Amino acid sequence: MMPIERLADMEEKLRILEDLNMIYIRQIALSLKDSDIQKKIDYEIRMREGACKLLAACSQRDQALEASKSLLTCNARIMAYMSELQRMKEAQVMQRVARRSSDAGPMDDRSPCKGKVAISDLRIPLMWKDTDYFKNKGELHRCAVFCLLQLGGEIFDTDMVMVDRTLTDICFDNTIVFNEAGPGFELRVELYSCCSEEDYSAGSTPRKLASKLSSSLGRSAGKKMRAALEPGACSATSNGGGATILLPVPSVQGPKYHLLAHTTLSLSHVQDSFRTHDLTITGNEECSYWLPLYGGVCCRLAAQPHCMTQQMMSGCLRVKLGGEPQGWTNVYGVLKGTNLFCYHQKEDMEAKVEPVLTIGINKETRIRAAEKDPHSKAQNICITNQYGGEEVTHTLAADSREDTQRWMEAFWQQFFDMSQWRQCCDDLMKIELPSPRKPAIVTPKQGSLYHEMVIDKSDDIGTVTDILARRIEEFELRAQLGSPPHWMALFDEDPPHTPQHLPPHSPSPRLHSRQPRSPRCQRTPGLLSSNASLTSDSDSPASVSPCFRQAWSPVASSSSGRFRPRTLSLDAKLSTLRGRGYNGFRCNCQPPTASSVSPRPTQTALSCSSSTSSSSSSEGSNSQESDLGFSRPSGARRSLRILRAKLDPRNWLQSQV
Amino acid sequence: MSFIPGQPVSAVVQRIEIHKLYEGDNLILGFSIGGGIDQDPTQNPFSEDKTDKGIYVTRVSKGGPAEVAGLRLGDKIMQVNGWDMTMVTHDQARKKLTKKNEDVVRLLVTRKSLEETVRQSMMQH
């Protein structure tokens, strides 16, 4: 069997296994009468399928990285839900066993209240060699990184950040809030990274090979082999190998993230300010995804137990105010956080009126039930606090015995929670809710002039012309015989002199030959209108870019274009030209932001910008045509060119088959 | 050859069977394609209707398997081995043509001249 067929067979088996496991999982969920987790698992599986499809379909590197990240997160979540399901099943079985054997003790363990745990402002310092950082030479080794945060059954991922040696720290701006965390929580922070090298030159061979294999598009056989051969290809997270059998991960092409570092945070790490924690680093310098981490992670870990934020108990009480034994005042008491607030009436609390009396309930407070008061039906509750060396006791009474019991119970629970949550109960820690996230702006790298030019809004047209003028000098040096792009005629109001006919099948067109004939072109001052969305129209019919030399007779218009200073903006001319239907290869100039056309006696920049962009586009289309007969250019360069051509949406891509 | 959404597309097609040729390690067909639903249709020099996002033949190597089989420049490929080519991305089309374990591709192509030929022959009868 051919290796590809064997792989397809394996995939078939994996799929069957997956189906069987899904049935098993559903049975467990059914027996637990818990449909919640089932729904969550189903949802994550759907998300995962979507991510796989997106990964297979997308062609841009950034999209692929994002999709791969979503895939990893989905997998982690599925693992977490499944292990939770298993645990619940085990717990159920254990309970049944315990009940049957009658040695189960009284179940009066108090359980602490849950709380919110928030982690924010993650910052991981990097430790580049100072030579790397300051010299900034050579190819930029870039990695895409993100953090996966897991607490209990909740898993969140941060946004993806591209890291290269110009960064000193990896910063994640996200605030992640976990809602139902117990005081014994374990927050696992994992840093994943994926090499994102676009340069195929230099570097260590394994890295180069690895990046080639993982980032080349369309090499399905090689990718499948690699995914199958790679150890641990099936496990997206480090959650033990056993779980991977349950729901095997479909092997997909595309960038793969690897675990770079991890750490586990718990209650002792919670503080209202920033702290640095140690990171355990997996991986070494040989790995493609390696980054020189300093070894720590700085973040703010805050916790808000529910006992601090929610009303734990409320009801009507009577307070003895003043020294008189008969001075009972009716109040509405609310136990929240470290205080018992007593309001005149319930409505006051809702109206946020100041309470009549506030009794502190904290670690130092002592509460006891007093002897039965002969005048009342129930016991009194005495709350004693130390206020600056003095002991102050408040006496409260509830309406009935049950109420007293409930209040005492609430107080005990509060004390218990405070002992469990420790430092979190001293003061309420602020947690900022994350604002709705803006979608990450993905700018694909394009090989056109406008992406190589950096123009500030404050720059004037002068900067643009300077850049373009520089370009034209480089360009002129390379000018050879060949007809100028036909859009040159836009700047010529005279009718074209002699239409140029290019030979229909010119041999091996090289980049240079596409450029206009400099000797003949008199470059009188003229300025490229930055507005020019140059279309391939001119006075001559069926004009076609020289890039596209096929059977249609390329009628490039006048080569000897004279450029005259334009006093009017080109917009008018261009709009008329656009109005006419055009047939042919559109020249690729995008209108940038600068708007005015100032006639200046600088060299015409027209030709250079268009030629640069048409050179990028011709490079795209050229790559496939540049050979005669059946020879193909080398694979790597070809795929790189195809990638560039694909990224440029203004190209009309052609592929050789 | 424009399509009206909701209406079936009909065209006069010619069957072309191309046998791939080994060129070193690769199997090649000897032509180039352009177009696709992810490409800009206005840049297609072969299409009559500039909104047509179909797959067109943009180059035929001289003496190659495609030319020998009868493929011509400017042909619009409708199907490849039964797979539809009228609503595919450029890369999908390329993939359907370059499957490594197939050494024959059967295309259904259409061109303007076909329609005229058919019309003329019908008129004669």
Side-chain angles (χ1 to χ4, degrees):
Chain A
M1 248 204 294
M2 279 178 67
I4 298 170
E5 292 168 22
R6 206 179 298 141
L7 282 165
D9 195 44
M10 209 157 64
E11 277 192 12
E12 257 308 305
K13 291 193 181 128
L14 284 176
R15 247 173 264 137
I16 295 175
L17 214 67
E18 203 177 299
D19 287 339
L20 284 173
N21 289 324
M22 275 315 297
I23 298 174
Y24 170 61
I25 290 164
R26 275 182 226 279
Q27 285 205 329
I28 296 183
L30 219 66
S31 69
L32 286 170
K33 297 198 191 355
D34 187 330
S35 57
D36 201 28
I37 292 200
Q38 183 55 50
K39 281 195 213 114
K40 284 195 220 165
I41 294 184
D42 282 340
Y43 176 75
E44 289 301 324
I45 290 182
R46 278 204 306 276
M47 293 286 286
R48 185 173 76 176
E49 281 172 17
C52 288
K53 288 205 192 95
L54 184 63
L55 200 55
C58 65
S59 52
Q60 292 185 19
R61 182 80 189 172
D62 291 319
Q63 283 178 2
L65 287 167
E66 288 284 345
S68 185
K69 173 171 86 93
S70 318
L71 188 63
L72 201 147
T73 312
C74 288
N75 283 329
R77 286 192 181 128
I78 293 175
M79 297 297 177
Y81 292 146
M82 278 174 26
S83 27
E84 198 174 319
L85 213 60
Q86 295 256 326
R87 254 184 288 126
M88 282 166 66
K89 180 74 181 171
E90 277 173 23
Q92 198 190 54
V93 169
M94 292 297 287
Q95 260 191 11
R96 259 189 250 133
V97 167
R99 245 181 269 145
R100 262 187 248 130
S101 67
S102 54
D103 55 16
M107 317 256 265
D108 64 347
D109 313 83
R110 214 179 272 279
S111 54
C113 67
K114 303 267 186 205
K116 270 207 260 202
V117 172
I119 183 169
S120 60
D121 305 295
L122 278 152
R123 183 174 64 86
I124 300 172
L126 294 168
M127 192 175 58
W128 302 101
K129 291 206 223 35
D130 52 357
T131 46
D132 280 343
Y133 184 67
F134 289 109
K135 287 205 187 136
N136 204 19
K137 265 197 305 200
E139 102 246 11
L140 217 55
H141 169 47
R142 306 181 86 213
C143 278
V145 300
F146 74 96
C147 265
L148 199 70
L149 300 135
Q150 177 171 13
L151 194 152
E154 296 177 272
I155 294 182
F156 294 101
D157 58 348
T158 61
D159 291 334
M160 186 186 73
V161 172
M162 293 299 283
V163 176
D164 55 39
R165 64 164 169 268
T166 62
L167 277 183
T168 55
D169 302 77
I170 309 175
C171 293
F172 295 107
D173 295 326
N174 312 83
T175 305
I176 311 262
V177 177
F178 297 95
N179 281 309
E180 291 297 315
F185 71 85
E186 288 210 343
L187 172 56
R188 195 173 151 88
V189 181
E190 293 176 342
L191 181 68
Y192 285 91
S193 92
C194 171
C195 172
S196 162
E197 285 202 85
E198 299 188 30
D199 222 6
Y200 290 107
S201 60
S204 65
T205 315
R207 207 198 289 178
K208 184 167 82 166
L209 210 57
S211 67
K212 241 200 235 184
L213 285 173
S214 66
S215 65
S216 65
L217 303 166
R219 294 176 178 266
S220 42
K223 192 66 192 103
K224 277 189 194 163
M225 295 277 268
R226 184 167 177 271
L229 293 171
E230 189 182 330
C234 285
S235 71
T237 63
S238 48
N239 280 353
T244 63
I245 305 298
L246 272 179
L247 265 187
V249 176
S251 61
V252 280
Q253 315 174 12
K256 266 201 167 57
Y257 285 93
H258 304 268
L259 182 65
L260 183 58
H262 67 267
T263 183
T264 307
L265 303 172
S266 59
L267 188 66
S268 50
H269 298 112
V270 173
Q271 206 177 340
D272 205 2
S273 58
F274 293 94
R275 271 183 70 173
T276 309
H277 312 276
D278 288 323
L279 271 178
T280 317
I281 303 180
T282 58
N284 51 47
E285 279 196 13
E286 297 304 312
C287 308
S288 63
Y289 53 89
W290 170 255
L291 280 173
L293 300 176
Y294 195 76
V297 58
C298 179
C299 66
R300 180 173 175 268
L301 185 64
Q304 275 182 354
H306 288 327
C307 60
M308 296 294 286
T309 54
Q310 294 173 0
Q311 294 179 12
M312 298 310 280
M313 181 75 191
S314 59
C316 287
L317 284 170
R318 280 172 300 130
V319 183
K320 212 187 255 183
L321 288 173
E324 312 146 38
Q326 303 289 341
W328 289 101
T329 320
N330 282 327
V331 291
Y332 183 77
V334 173
L335 177 62
K336 181 171 153 184
T338 54
N339 290 307
L340 174 64
F341 300 102
C342 299
Y343 298 90
H344 255 308
Q345 17 171 15
K346 189 172 179 184
E347 293 70 31
D348 280 354
M349 184 219 25
E350 277 145 23
K352 296 205 198 311
V353 176
E354 285 291 312
V356 165
L357 178 64
T358 305
I359 306 175
I361 310 279
N362 50 45
K363 291 189 276 248
E364 315 295 322
T365 311
R366 286 193 308 283
I367 302 185
R368 59 184 174 81
E371 326 73 44
K372 234 177 165 186
D373 197 330
H375 296 279
S376 67
K377 304 173 210 98
Q379 292 172 302
N380 287 345
I381 303 172
C382 294
I383 304 177
T384 311
N385 273 313
Q386 290 257 349
Y387 288 120
E390 265 192 35
E391 268 205 15
V392 180
T393 304
H394 295 275
T395 313
L396 303 139
D399 288 331
S400 67
R401 189 171 301 175
E402 295 81 33
D403 281 349
T404 313
Q405 194 56 41
R406 280 197 293 126
W407 275 102
M408 289 305 288
E409 178 62 34
F411 289 133
W412 290 130
Q413 179 67 36
Q414 190 77 350
F415 283 139
F416 182 71
D417 289 341
M418 288 204 272
S419 70
Q420 293 294 299
W421 282 99
R422 294 185 295 202
Q423 74 269 28
C424 307
C425 292
D426 292 338
D427 238 329
L428 186 63
M429 297 189 192
K430 270 212 204 8
I431 292 185
E432 272 176 24
L433 285 170
S435 56
R437 287 145 107 204
K438 286 176 273 202
I441 304 167
V442 177
T443 41
K445 276 219 178 116
Q446 301 195 14
S448 80
L449 174 72
Y450 293 107
H451 293 271
E452 294 162 25
M453 282 197 334
V454 175
I455 302 180
D456 230 321
K457 284 205 180 76
S458 55
D459 290 318
D460 58 353
I461 190 73
T463 326
V464 180
T465 53
D466 286 339
I467 298 175
L468 294 175
R470 255 183 282 130
R471 287 288 180 141
I472 205 194
E473 276 156 6
E474 312 168 37
F475 160 87
E476 273 195 315
L477 294 171
R478 293 183 289 155
Q480 288 176 25
L481 242 70
S483 73
H486 43 283
W487 39 254
M488 293 284 218
L490 285 174
F491 295 82
D492 199 339
E493 301 213 306
D494 304 331
H497 306 303
T498 44
Q500 294 252 263
H501 286 276
L502 291 170
H505 289 287
S506 60
S508 193
R510 290 176 44 80
L511 214 55
H512 309 326
S513 58
R514 305 273 170 81
Q515 292 157 4
R517 300 173 190 223
S518 53
R520 282 230 248 147
C521 288
Q522 302 166 21
R523 294 181 201 279
T524 57
L527 188 63
L528 165 66
S529 155
S530 19
N531 264 346
S533 169
L534 300 171
T535 57
S536 60
D537 194 8
S538 64
D539 302 331
S540 52
S543 49
V544 151
S545 149
C547 309
F548 213 40
R549 323 227 202 129
Q550 295 310 313
W552 16 281
S553 54
V555 182
S557 42
S558 67
S559 59
S560 56
R562 287 190 303 107
F563 302 98
R564 297 178 298 160
R566 311 220 30 107
T567 49
L568 292 172
S569 83
L570 281 175
D571 290 357
K573 169 113 185 181
L574 287 174
S575 47
T576 53
L577 288 174
R578 258 222 200 103
R580 300 187 225 158
Y582 56 87
N583 177 18
F585 197 54
R586 180 190 292 182
C587 249
N588 306 315
C589 266
Q590 281 177 353
T593 51
S595 55
S596 62
V597 181
S598 49
R600 295 230 315 243
T602 53
Q603 288 196 331
T604 195
L606 165 68
S607 48
C608 77
S609 74
S610 315
S611 69
T612 320
S613 49
S614 69
S615 67
S616 73
S617 61
S618 61
E619 191 189 43
S621 45
N622 184 26
S623 60
Q624 282 86 17
E625 305 174 75
S626 66
D627 36 13
L628 293 175
F630 315 140
S631 59
R632 281 171 186 246
S634 72
R637 252 178 287 134
R638 175 168 177 268
S639 64
L640 184 61
R641 260 192 240 132
I642 293 179
L643 192 64
R644 282 218 200 108
K646 276 187 188 163
L647 289 180
D648 190 344
R650 303 159 308 173
N651 274 330
W652 194 62
L653 198 60
Q654 295 174 63
S655 303
Q656 192 171 1
V657 294
Chain B
M1 272 182 269
S2 61
F3 84 101
I4 303 160
Q7 302 285 323
V9 173
S10 61
V12 183
V13 293
Q14 179 182 357
R15 260 179 234 284
I16 294 189
E17 188 172 291
I18 308 182
H19 295 262
K20 294 190 189 177
L21 189 68
Y22 268 103
E23 199 242 351
D25 258 347
N26 306 311
L27 276 171
I28 61 154
L29 290 161
F31 66 99
S32 296
I33 53 165
I37 54 178
D38 57 335
Q39 303 288 312
D40 181 5
T42 54
Q43 297 185 41
N44 186 344
F46 301 110
S47 54
E48 264 199 37
D49 174 15
K50 286 304 163 196
T51 62
D52 184 358
K53 292 187 170 181
I55 306 291
Y56 282 79
V57 175
T58 59
R59 190 185 69 90
V60 181
S61 310
K62 246 191 146 22
E67 195 184 32
V68 162
L71 195 67
R72 296 285 166 259
L73 190 65
D75 286 353
K76 175 176 174 178
I77 304 181
M78 309 293 283
Q79 276 185 20
V80 170
N81 284 344
W83 294 100
D84 169 62
M85 290 281 124
T86 61
M87 271 296 148
V88 289
T89 65
H90 184 91
D91 210 42
Q92 285 170 345
R94 188 187 53 82
K95 282 189 177 146
K96 289 282 180 273
L97 285 161
T98 53
K99 281 194 174 318
K100 290 224 162 119
N101 49 359
E102 293 173 355
D103 41 41
V104 177
V105 287
R106 293 181 177 86
L107 313 179
L108 286 183
V109 303
T110 183
R111 56 182 88 97
K112 194 82 174 45
S113 55
L114 282 177
E115 275 202 41
E116 291 178 8
T117 317
V118 169
R119 207 177 303 135
Q120 279 178 11
S121 61
M122 276 170 56
M123 285 199 297
Q124 284 170 10
H125 293 283

